[in-house]
Amino acid sequence: MRLSEAKGFFAISLIAIFVVGKAAAAETSHCDKPLYLTFDTGHMEIAPFVADVLKRKGILVTFFAADEKTKLGDSSLSSYWAPWWHARAVEGHAFASHTMDHTYWRADAGTKGTPMFKVRSSAGPQAGKDLAISAAQYCEEIGRASTRLHEITGKAPLPLFRAPGGKISPTLLTAAKSCGYAHVGWSPAGFLGDELPSAQFSNAALLKKALDNIRSGDILLAHLGIWSRKDPWAPAVLEPLIDGLKQRGFCFRTLADHPDYRGWLAGKR
């Protein structure tokens, strides 16, 4: 590439970044009917498609990340995926923990003064094992994912987390808050159904249900790839869903702007 061509390419790249950034800023500045789209990690095969749609539509989301197995045989927070995560940070997306080893709460254990939790991870060295861990160990699970996100994005994650499967207890929530993390679930209508079997829940049916039922303020949940779903939800549903919601007057923000978490987040800055 000649110098003049390189300069032209660089200028075009800067313009593209400016336009995307400007679109995202416009998306979040005047927002009377906000929605909060969130993605949990998964097998990551659809991650490039998701990123492309979000960039083209100029919307920002919140990613909850665990170090899960991917279809490439690595894990979602590995060095291979670090550039992908860093690019999302540059675009302005928000991040939070999904526990490092995608660790499911199964039951409370221990005593009132010394809480313990029965858990099972679906990733990491203890995957598939039933364990009993302390509140401090569960906090460490949350914190390891948050720390890793900070390393690979260069951006401080939000002091929030989402328990795998949304499985929680009051004791678990108290323990997590004591070490600096508030839990985020999702709205009933915000369950977008990408975890459901394709044979019973087609993409067309999931799209219609979402467009019919989502309301202002809802937290929406999707994933960066579900192993069991044969007909991928994204980008087939994601793009028309965003378009349809925008046509209904909705706009998109990250959880950094959610009214239920503003006080918590402000106290952590």
Side-chain angles (χ1 to χ4, degrees):
M1 182 182 292
R2 295 191 299 269
L3 180 59
S4 59
E5 293 175 331
K7 287 181 177 179
F9 176 78
F10 182 66
I12 291 170
S13 299
L14 287 177
I15 291 170
I17 292 170
F18 174 77
V19 169
V20 170
K22 189 173 182 180
E27 178 66 54
T28 58
S29 58
H30 302 291
C31 200
D32 296 325
K33 294 172 63 178
L35 296 173
Y36 305 87
L37 179 56
T38 69
F39 284 89
D40 293 354
T41 40
H43 59 56
M44 300 298 284
E45 185 176 59
I46 65 170
F49 301 111
V50 170
D52 175 65
V53 171
L54 298 179
K55 182 182 288 188
R56 284 191 290 103
K57 299 302 175 181
I59 71 168
L60 299 178
V61 305
T62 304
F63 291 100
F64 287 89
D67 198 28
E68 299 185 67
K69 181 181 177 181
T70 79
K71 283 197 171 182
L72 294 177
D74 58 357
S75 57
S76 51
L77 295 179
S78 67
S79 297
Y80 175 86
W81 288 100
W84 188 91
W85 290 106
H86 184 264
R88 306 291 78 77
V90 172
E91 291 163 359
H93 298 285
F95 308 93
S97 175
H98 195 33
T99 73
M100 188 65 168
D101 292 336
H102 204 248
T103 300
Y104 287 87
W105 171 89
R106 306 195 73 199
D108 290 342
T111 64
K112 185 176 181 180
T114 310
M116 300 280 291
F117 305 111
K118 294 180 180 179
V119 301
R120 181 184 293 170
S121 300
S122 65
Q126 303 296 324
K129 297 179 181 179
D130 292 320
L131 302 172
I133 63 174
S134 67
Q137 288 172 312
Y138 189 82
C139 283
E140 182 181 353
E141 261 296 287
I142 302 173
R144 286 199 299 134
S146 186
T147 298
R148 179 57 179 160
L149 279 167
H150 200 173
E151 289 173 353
I152 60 180
T153 66
K155 181 176 182 177
L158 300 173
L160 305 172
F161 84 106
R162 174 172 287 153
K167 298 182 182 300
I168 54 174
S169 72
T171 303
L172 186 85
L173 297 183
T174 297
K177 280 203 166 183
S178 73
C179 58
Y181 297 94
H183 184 258
V184 179
W186 54 87
S187 305
F191 177 74
L192 298 176
D194 63 341
E195 297 174 87
L196 301 174
S198 306
Q200 287 79 38
F201 301 91
S202 68
N203 281 334
L206 293 177
L207 175 61
K208 183 179 185 304
K209 182 179 179 182
L211 291 175
D212 287 347
N213 293 291
I214 287 171
R215 297 293 180 265
S216 179
D218 280 352
I219 296 174
L220 315 182
L221 166 68
H223 299 78
L224 296 176
I226 294 294
W227 290 89
S228 59
R229 188 168 179 86
K230 304 306 180 185
D231 187 12
W233 179 88
V237 177
L238 178 59
E239 187 157 5
L241 176 64
I242 292 171
D243 289 339
L245 291 172
K246 283 187 172 185
Q247 289 167 9
R248 287 160 172 75
F250 292 105
C251 41
F252 295 85
R253 289 183 171 176
T254 72
L255 289 171
D257 294 315
H258 196 289
D260 289 353
Y261 301 103
R262 280 189 198 133
W264 173 263
L265 297 174
K268 297 299 174 183
R269 290 183 180 131

